Amino acid sequence: MSTANRKYKDSVFVDLFSEDEKAKENFLSLYNALHNTALKNTEQLNNIRLDQVLYMTFYNDVSYLVDNKIIVLAEHQSTINPNMPLRCLEYISRLYETLFESKEKYSRKLLNIPTPEFYVFYNGEETYPSDKTLKLSDAFIEKTTETNIELTVKVININRNNRHPVLENCKTMQEYTVFVETVRRWKKTDSQNGFQKAIEECIQNNILRDYLNRKTKEVINMLLAEYDYETDIAVQRAEEREIAFAEGIERGIERGIEQGIEQGIEQGSYQTKLETAKNLKEMGFAVEAITKATGLNIEEINTL
């Protein structure tokens, strides 16, 4: 299960806590921070990560069997996906399938199954609560006082200005957060060499020094893949806004609201382009690339 199909890309987060030679040490430190425990034996950790479930083209999840629990971790640097409980339900179902043979599930003896826990670590730039719980039942069409099935995902904001206790209790997570902030800052100021300079600064400041010294080239490749993924997400959301706007216009026509439609279309399309350009600019893309992607001119982009 832990042998990843390498045509899909790992994130730095996944490599740090799941694939690197010191990943188990890093994960155990994070587990202890989450559970206020002091486990030290990494041999009791069993990496049971599944391939291509939470994301279809990009690996951003970590899962271990430890202390009679299945711990599933994911990272979000963009907006939190409200469908994470549904994705985690699919994830845990497949994990249980791999842990038990089919015939065991039809036995008269009650199976003892590990307790699942789901965590999302948010370090995006939008305002988000320090802790938030997403529930599967929030998506149910019919709300009832009691649900037949529930799954919760704990979202933890790990931005340093949020000062979440997990950062104080897990040195690796704290340094990873500093690393993400450094990469984000350098990417905005130097789109060509930002990743390399961010790594050099972190090494100089003793942030993930051993890891980054060992894997500089691999980390750069992972960062490139991460930013490509984030760009895809930004483009998809822009397309969704375009579609939603067009559907709104169509509904307006059906209701007989015709006045100002042409002006609304023009303004909506332009606003969408501005929002897309702003997102790409914040992610560190060159102005020339943004002009090609949105059709806006350089002056319009520079004013964002």
Side-chain angles (χ1 to χ4, degrees), residues 54-215:
L54 289 184
Y55 298 90
M56 298 306 292
T57 59
F58 187 71
Y59 283 134
N60 213 24
D61 60 275
V62 174
S63 56
Y64 280 90
L65 181 61
V66 54
D67 201 22
N68 296 319
K69 302 183 187 74
I70 291 177
I71 308 297
V72 180
L73 313 177
E75 178 203 29
H76 276 240
Q77 291 189 23
S78 57
T79 305
I80 296 295
N81 188 317
N83 297 309
M84 285 305 295
L86 183 58
R87 291 186 173 194
C88 287
L89 177 63
E90 179 183 15
Y91 196 98
I92 196 64
S93 297
R94 296 191 185 181
L95 276 177
Y96 282 143
E97 285 180 359
T98 64
L99 293 176
F100 301 99
E101 296 181 3
S102 296
K103 62 181 180 181
E104 293 182 274
K105 301 166 191 173
Y106 295 95
S107 171
R108 289 189 175 187
K109 181 181 178 181
L110 179 66
L111 286 176
N112 294 315
I113 63 177
T115 304
E117 295 180 7
F118 306 95
Y119 299 89
V120 171
F121 298 99
Y122 174 72
N123 55 3
E125 297 182 270
E126 297 179 9
T127 302
Y128 201 82
S130 178
D131 291 279
K132 185 173 182 178
T133 299
L134 306 179
K135 296 182 178 180
L136 182 66
S137 59
D138 290 339
F140 292 167
I141 296 174
E142 183 177 347
K143 309 297 182 182
T144 58
T145 55
E146 294 185 6
T147 61
N148 292 321
I149 184 173
E150 184 63 282
L151 186 148
T152 61
V153 178
K154 185 173 183 179
V155 183
I156 298 175
N157 187 335
I158 58 170
N159 283 296
R160 277 196 300 170
N161 57 9
N162 190 54
R163 299 189 177 183
H164 196 281
V166 74
L167 298 182
E168 298 178 7
N169 298 321
C170 179
K171 184 173 181 288
T172 302
M173 182 60 86
Q174 183 184 54
E175 292 186 10
Y176 174 72
T177 299
V178 176
F179 168 74
V180 171
E181 292 176 359
T182 306
V183 168
R184 191 173 286 152
R185 170 166 47 82
W186 272 110
K187 185 61 178 173
K188 289 178 181 179
T189 58
D190 188 342
S191 59
Q192 297 297 322
N193 306 299
F195 293 152
Q196 181 67 44
K197 290 182 177 179
I199 291 172
E200 291 173 357
E201 179 180 319
C202 285
I203 291 174
Q204 183 178 359
N205 293 332
N206 200 26
I207 301 299
L208 299 178
R209 176 180 289 173
D210 172 71
Y211 174 75
L212 295 175
N213 270 327
R214 286 188 289 107
K215 308 184 79 168

